[in-house]
Amino acid sequence: MSLLFMVLLLVGVVLVLGGGSYAVRRIIASLEERLAAGRVPDIDPSERPEPQVGGYVPGPRNPEDLPPSLRARVRNLVSLDRTEEAVRIVSERVDVDEERARGIVADLGGGSGPGRALDA
């Protein structure tokens, strides 16, 4: 019984894969015919997609990518030993994770590290 079921399943898989391969070949042949005839797909050249639509959007790679007002505020907070607040502000405003925000704050703090607030 199970051998018969396995054979039928194998035949079904072969038919599905063969049908899919046939469909893909037909689509490719149709596209090649359109391109050979000089017909271009219906795309309006004046409509351009947005440069970034969702997905992963990288944060700033270095502190110079931050707005000047944010850099000044972070430097002031680090000089007042309020590093945790500076990390939170960078994380919220620039939309990066906490570890990356700590690195940015450390770079802005003159390279002296995250400061006293993180020692525990």
Side-chain angles (χ1 to χ4, degrees), residues 69-79 86 89-90 105 108:
S69 61
L70 182 60
R71 278 187 292 184
R73 184 164 185 197
V74 168
R75 283 188 182 123
N76 288 338
L77 288 171
V78 169
S79 68
I89 288 173
V90 169
V105 168
L108 282 174

Side-chain angles (χ1 to χ4, degrees), residues 7-59:
V7 169
L8 288 175
L9 184 66
L10 182 62
V11 169
V13 168
V14 169
L15 288 175
V16 167
L17 290 176
S21 174
Y22 177 75
V24 168
R25 281 187 286 167
R26 292 288 307 248
I27 291 171
I28 290 173
S30 172
L31 289 174
E32 286 177 352
E33 287 175 10
R34 286 183 187 175
L35 291 175
R39 290 185 291 170
V40 182
D42 300 330
I43 299 175
D44 187 11
S46 64
E47 294 180 14
R48 293 186 177 152
E50 295 181 26
Q52 180 68 37
V53 182
Y56 176 72
V57 180

